[in-house]
Amino acid sequence: MQVDPFGAREIFVGFANFAQLLGSPDYRQSVFFTLWFTVIQAVVTIALALLFAFATDFVIRGRGLYKSVILMPYAIAPVISGVLWAFLFNPAVGPLAQFIQSLGIPWDPNRRPFDAQLLVIVASVWKHICYDYIFLVAALLAVPQSLLEAAKLDGARPVRRFFTISLPLVTPTIFFLMVMNVVYGLFETFGIIDAVTRGGPAGATNTLVYKVYQDGFVQLNLGSSAAQSVILMIIAILFTVLQFRALERRVNYQV
Protein backbone atom coordinates (compact mmCIF):
# COMPACT_ATOMS: atom_id res chain seq x y z
CA MET A 1 0.00 0.00 0.00
CA GLN A 2 1.35 3.42 -1.00
CA VAL A 3 0.11 6.15 1.36
CA ASP A 4 0.75 9.87 1.22
CA PRO A 5 2.18 11.49 4.39
CA PHE A 6 -1.24 12.79 5.51
CA GLY A 7 -3.12 9.55 4.87
CA ALA A 8 -5.53 11.17 2.42
CA ARG A 9 -4.76 8.87 -0.50
CA GLU A 10 -3.94 5.20 -0.66
CA ILE A 11 -2.75 3.24 -3.69
CA PHE A 12 -2.42 -0.53 -3.63
CA VAL A 13 0.93 -1.43 -5.17
CA GLY A 14 1.15 -5.12 -4.27
CA PHE A 15 4.70 -6.24 -3.51
CA ALA A 16 6.35 -3.26 -5.22
CA ASN A 17 7.66 -1.87 -1.94
CA PHE A 18 9.27 -5.21 -1.04
CA ALA A 19 10.80 -5.60 -4.50
CA GLN A 20 12.21 -2.08 -4.32
CA LEU A 21 13.71 -2.76 -0.90
CA LEU A 22 15.33 -6.05 -1.87
CA GLY A 23 16.85 -4.38 -4.92
CA SER A 24 18.29 -1.49 -2.93
CA PRO A 25 22.04 -1.74 -2.09
CA ASP A 26 21.54 0.57 0.89
CA TYR A 27 18.86 -1.68 2.35
CA ARG A 28 20.94 -4.83 1.83
CA GLN A 29 23.84 -3.10 3.58
CA SER A 30 21.51 -2.24 6.45
CA VAL A 31 20.36 -5.87 6.70
CA PHE A 32 23.93 -7.16 6.70
CA PHE A 33 25.04 -4.71 9.38
CA THR A 34 22.00 -5.43 11.55
CA LEU A 35 22.60 -9.19 11.47
CA TRP A 36 26.25 -9.17 12.44
CA PHE A 37 25.80 -6.27 14.87
CA THR A 38 23.03 -8.16 16.67
CA VAL A 39 25.03 -11.37 16.93
CA ILE A 40 28.25 -9.70 18.07
CA GLN A 41 26.65 -7.51 20.73
CA ALA A 42 24.63 -10.47 22.07
CA VAL A 43 27.66 -12.76 22.38
CA VAL A 44 29.97 -10.08 23.83
CA THR A 45 27.34 -8.88 26.31
CA ILE A 46 26.65 -12.36 27.66
CA ALA A 47 30.35 -13.25 27.83
CA LEU A 48 31.26 -10.11 29.78
CA ALA A 49 28.23 -10.37 32.06
CA LEU A 50 29.12 -13.99 32.79
CA LEU A 51 32.69 -12.97 33.61
CA PHE A 52 31.54 -10.21 35.95
CA ALA A 53 28.99 -12.49 37.60
CA PHE A 54 31.64 -15.16 38.17
CA ALA A 55 34.04 -12.57 39.62
CA THR A 56 31.42 -11.28 42.10
CA ASP A 57 32.21 -14.02 44.64
CA PHE A 58 35.90 -13.10 44.58
CA VAL A 59 35.35 -9.41 45.37
CA ILE A 60 35.85 -9.18 49.12
CA ARG A 61 36.12 -5.45 49.69
CA GLY A 62 33.81 -3.03 47.96
CA ARG A 63 31.40 -5.69 46.66
CA GLY A 64 28.51 -3.23 46.91
CA LEU A 65 30.45 -0.66 44.88
CA TYR A 66 31.41 -3.35 42.36
CA LYS A 67 27.75 -4.27 41.81
CA SER A 68 26.67 -0.62 41.70
CA VAL A 69 29.17 0.22 38.97
CA ILE A 70 27.97 -2.71 36.84
CA LEU A 71 24.28 -1.97 37.41
CA MET A 72 24.60 1.79 36.86
CA PRO A 73 23.92 1.72 33.08
CA TYR A 74 20.49 0.20 33.76
CA ALA A 75 19.38 3.49 35.33
CA ILE A 76 20.55 5.59 32.38
CA ALA A 77 18.29 6.24 29.42
CA PRO A 78 19.56 4.91 26.06
CA VAL A 79 19.76 8.42 24.60
CA ILE A 80 21.82 9.68 27.55
CA SER A 81 24.04 6.63 27.26
CA GLY A 82 24.56 7.34 23.57
CA VAL A 83 25.41 11.00 24.21
CA LEU A 84 27.93 9.95 26.86
CA TRP A 85 29.76 7.55 24.56
CA ALA A 86 29.60 9.98 21.64
CA PHE A 87 31.36 12.58 23.81
CA LEU A 88 33.98 10.17 25.20
CA PHE A 89 34.96 9.03 21.71
CA ASN A 90 34.56 12.35 19.92
CA PRO A 91 37.72 12.74 17.79
CA ALA A 92 38.01 16.43 18.65
CA VAL A 93 37.30 16.66 22.39
CA GLY A 94 36.67 13.12 23.65
CA PRO A 95 39.22 11.97 26.29
CA LEU A 96 39.13 8.33 25.19
CA ALA A 97 39.47 9.35 21.55
CA GLN A 98 42.45 11.51 22.45
CA PHE A 99 44.04 8.57 24.27
CA ILE A 100 43.54 6.28 21.28
CA GLN A 101 45.04 8.85 18.92
CA SER A 102 48.02 9.33 21.27
CA LEU A 103 48.84 5.65 20.70
CA GLY A 104 49.13 6.33 16.98
CA ILE A 105 45.82 4.66 16.15
CA PRO A 106 43.60 6.66 13.76
CA TRP A 107 40.14 7.20 15.21
CA ASP A 108 37.23 9.12 13.72
CA PRO A 109 33.73 7.60 13.97
CA ASN A 110 32.37 10.59 12.07
CA ARG A 111 34.27 9.59 8.91
CA ARG A 112 35.46 6.00 9.33
CA PRO A 113 32.63 3.42 9.09
CA PHE A 114 34.46 0.74 11.08
CA ASP A 115 35.13 3.15 13.95
CA ALA A 116 31.46 4.14 14.04
CA GLN A 117 30.33 0.52 14.03
CA LEU A 118 32.76 -0.37 16.81
CA LEU A 119 31.57 2.59 18.87
CA VAL A 120 27.92 1.57 18.49
CA ILE A 121 28.73 -1.99 19.57
CA VAL A 122 30.65 -0.79 22.65
CA ALA A 123 27.86 1.59 23.67
CA SER A 124 25.18 -1.08 23.16
CA VAL A 125 27.09 -3.70 25.15
CA TRP A 126 27.74 -1.27 28.01
CA LYS A 127 24.06 -0.32 28.18
CA HIS A 128 22.74 -3.90 28.28
CA ILE A 129 25.42 -5.76 30.25
CA CYS A 130 23.78 -4.92 33.57
CA TYR A 131 20.56 -6.68 32.49
CA ASP A 132 22.42 -9.90 31.79
CA TYR A 133 24.50 -9.53 34.95
CA ILE A 134 21.40 -9.51 37.18
CA PHE A 135 20.07 -12.77 35.75
CA LEU A 136 23.45 -14.51 35.73
CA VAL A 137 24.24 -13.61 39.33
CA ALA A 138 20.87 -15.00 40.39
CA ALA A 139 21.46 -18.15 38.33
CA LEU A 140 24.92 -18.72 39.83
CA LEU A 141 23.52 -18.27 43.35
CA ALA A 142 21.01 -21.03 42.59
CA VAL A 143 23.76 -23.56 41.81
CA PRO A 144 23.76 -26.16 44.65
CA GLN A 145 26.63 -25.47 47.00
CA SER A 146 26.98 -29.17 47.72
CA LEU A 147 28.18 -29.78 44.17
CA LEU A 148 30.69 -26.95 44.33
CA GLU A 149 31.99 -28.09 47.72
CA ALA A 150 32.35 -31.67 46.50
CA ALA A 151 34.34 -30.48 43.49
CA LYS A 152 36.46 -28.30 45.76
CA LEU A 153 37.28 -31.31 47.95
CA ASP A 154 38.32 -33.15 44.81
CA GLY A 155 40.87 -30.42 44.11
CA ALA A 156 39.03 -28.52 41.37
CA ARG A 157 40.02 -24.87 41.18
CA PRO A 158 37.40 -22.08 40.86
CA VAL A 159 37.70 -21.79 37.06
CA ARG A 160 37.34 -25.56 36.62
CA ARG A 161 34.35 -25.65 39.00
CA PHE A 162 32.76 -22.87 36.98
CA PHE A 163 33.11 -24.59 33.59
CA THR A 164 32.27 -28.11 34.77
CA ILE A 165 29.47 -27.41 37.28
CA SER A 166 28.15 -23.84 37.29
CA LEU A 167 28.12 -23.12 33.56
CA PRO A 168 26.11 -26.22 32.53
CA LEU A 169 23.53 -25.47 35.24
CA VAL A 170 23.01 -21.85 34.14
CA THR A 171 22.53 -22.68 30.45
CA PRO A 172 18.75 -22.08 30.68
CA THR A 173 19.46 -18.52 31.82
CA ILE A 174 22.07 -18.04 29.09
CA PHE A 175 19.60 -19.28 26.49
CA PHE A 176 16.95 -16.86 27.76
CA LEU A 177 19.44 -13.99 27.70
CA MET A 178 20.55 -14.84 24.17
CA VAL A 179 16.96 -14.50 22.96
CA MET A 180 16.49 -11.24 24.87
CA ASN A 181 19.79 -9.83 23.59
CA VAL A 182 18.80 -10.53 20.01
CA VAL A 183 15.54 -8.65 20.56
CA TYR A 184 17.54 -5.85 22.16
CA GLY A 185 19.92 -5.66 19.20
CA LEU A 186 17.12 -5.62 16.66
CA PHE A 187 14.77 -3.12 18.32
CA GLU A 188 16.10 -1.42 21.47
CA THR A 189 19.36 0.05 20.19
CA PHE A 190 17.52 2.78 18.32
CA GLY A 191 18.17 5.44 20.97
CA ILE A 192 21.89 4.69 21.13
CA ILE A 193 22.36 4.78 17.36
CA ASP A 194 20.34 7.97 17.05
CA ALA A 195 22.45 9.70 19.71
CA VAL A 196 25.86 8.36 18.66
CA THR A 197 25.96 8.20 14.86
CA ARG A 198 22.44 8.84 13.46
CA GLY A 199 23.05 5.91 11.14
CA GLY A 200 26.24 7.36 9.66
CA PRO A 201 28.75 7.73 8.29
CA ALA A 202 27.24 6.97 4.87
CA GLY A 203 24.69 4.60 6.44
CA ALA A 204 27.37 2.36 7.97
CA THR A 205 25.47 2.07 11.28
CA ASN A 206 21.99 2.19 9.84
CA THR A 207 20.22 -0.75 11.48
CA LEU A 208 16.87 -1.94 10.22
CA VAL A 209 14.87 -0.34 13.03
CA TYR A 210 16.66 2.97 12.52
CA LYS A 211 16.08 2.80 8.75
CA VAL A 212 12.37 2.30 9.40
CA TYR A 213 12.43 5.57 11.33
CA GLN A 214 14.53 7.37 8.71
CA ASP A 215 12.35 6.37 5.77
CA GLY A 216 9.01 6.68 7.56
CA PHE A 217 9.37 9.74 9.79
CA VAL A 218 12.18 11.72 8.14
CA GLN A 219 11.71 11.05 4.43
CA LEU A 220 7.96 10.36 4.86
CA ASN A 221 8.11 7.26 2.65
CA LEU A 222 5.41 5.43 4.59
CA GLY A 223 5.00 2.58 2.12
CA SER A 224 8.66 1.62 2.23
CA SER A 225 8.75 2.05 6.01
CA ALA A 226 5.77 -0.28 6.45
CA ALA A 227 7.38 -2.92 4.23
CA GLN A 228 10.61 -2.64 6.22
CA SER A 229 8.67 -3.16 9.46
CA VAL A 230 7.24 -6.40 8.11
CA ILE A 231 10.68 -7.64 7.04
CA LEU A 232 12.14 -6.68 10.40
CA MET A 233 9.48 -8.66 12.23
CA ILE A 234 10.11 -11.68 10.00
CA ILE A 235 13.84 -11.48 10.73
CA ALA A 236 13.13 -11.28 14.48
CA ILE A 237 10.90 -14.36 14.29
CA LEU A 238 13.48 -16.27 12.25
CA PHE A 239 16.22 -15.37 14.73
CA THR A 240 14.11 -16.64 17.62
CA VAL A 241 13.14 -19.87 15.87
CA LEU A 242 16.74 -20.58 14.87
CA GLN A 243 17.89 -20.04 18.44
CA PHE A 244 15.29 -22.47 19.77
CA ARG A 245 16.22 -25.04 17.14
CA ALA A 246 20.00 -24.70 17.46
CA LEU A 247 20.53 -23.86 21.13
CA GLU A 248 17.65 -25.22 23.20
CA ARG A 249 18.71 -28.83 22.68
CA ARG A 250 22.01 -28.01 24.38
CA VAL A 251 20.33 -26.44 27.40
CA ASN A 252 20.44 -28.42 30.64
CA TYR A 253 17.25 -27.92 32.66
CA GLN A 254 18.24 -30.33 35.41
CA VAL A 255 19.26 -28.91 38.77
Side-chain angles (χ1 to χ4, degrees):
M1 186 71 69
Q2 192 74 32
V3 185
D4 72 273
F6 300 98
R9 184 181 180 187
E10 298 180 357
I11 302 175
F12 182 74
V13 294
F15 293 97
N17 287 323
F18 294 96
Q20 184 179 8
L21 283 176
L22 297 178
S24 171
D26 292 339
Y27 187 74
R28 291 198 298 267
Q29 176 185 343
S30 179
V31 171
F32 177 74
F33 170 70
T34 302
L35 294 180
W36 74 262
F37 162 76
T38 301
V39 173
I40 290 177
Q41 71 82 23
V43 173
V44 172
T45 302
I46 291 179
L48 291 178
L50 196 58
L51 175 63
F52 293 149
F54 169 71
T56 300
D57 290 336
F58 299 93
V59 178
I60 306 300
R61 295 182 179 180
R63 180 176 296 185
L65 179 62
Y66 175 80
K67 292 182 179 179
S68 299
V69 171
I70 296 178
L71 297 177
M72 186 185 303
Y74 199 70
I76 301 176
V79 175
I80 303 301
S81 175
V83 171
L84 173 65
W85 284 97
F87 168 74
L88 291 175
F89 284 93
N90 185 285
V93 297
L96 294 181
Q98 296 294 325
F99 174 74
I100 293 175
Q101 293 172 356
S102 67
L103 299 176
I105 302 175
W107 175 265
D108 190 352
N110 297 325
R111 297 181 179 181
R112 295 164 56 91
F114 178 78
D115 294 349
Q117 293 170 353
L118 182 60
L119 177 56
V120 168
I121 292 175
V122 171
S124 301
V125 169
W126 180 81
K127 180 67 181 71
H128 200 61
I129 197 171
C130 48
Y131 180 89
D132 293 12
Y133 174 80
I134 295 172
F135 282 92
L136 290 172
V137 167
L140 290 175
L141 290 175
V143 174
Q145 291 298 315
S146 58
L147 297 178
L148 297 175
E149 292 174 359
K152 186 176 182 179
L153 292 174
D154 290 338
R157 292 183 173 273
V159 175
R160 183 175 179 83
R161 295 198 301 267
F162 173 75
F163 281 103
T164 58
I165 297 176
S166 300
L167 186 59
L169 293 179
V170 300
T171 49
T173 303
I174 294 176
F175 174 68
F176 163 76
L177 291 176
M178 181 61 72
V179 175
M180 296 304 296
N181 283 0
V182 167
V183 174
Y184 167 77
L186 289 176
F187 297 100
E188 299 180 29
T189 54
F190 172 87
I192 293 177
I193 293 175
D194 186 58
V196 176
T197 63
R198 295 188 179 273
T205 59
N206 214 5
T207 59
L208 290 177
V209 68
Y210 195 75
K211 188 167 178 55
V212 169
Y213 162 76
Q214 284 283 350
D215 288 359
F217 293 90
V218 177
Q219 301 180 12
L220 298 179
N221 189 349
L222 301 183
S224 177
S225 179
Q228 292 176 47
S229 301
V230 173
I231 295 177
L232 178 58
M233 183 58 64
I234 292 174
I235 291 176
I237 294 173
L238 289 177
F239 252 121
T240 305
V241 172
L242 288 176
Q243 287 179 97
F244 272 89
R245 290 294 184 92
L247 300 179
E248 190 182 24
R249 66 185 64 179
R250 301 183 180 180
V251 174
N252 180 17
Y253 291 99
Q254 299 179 357
V255 178

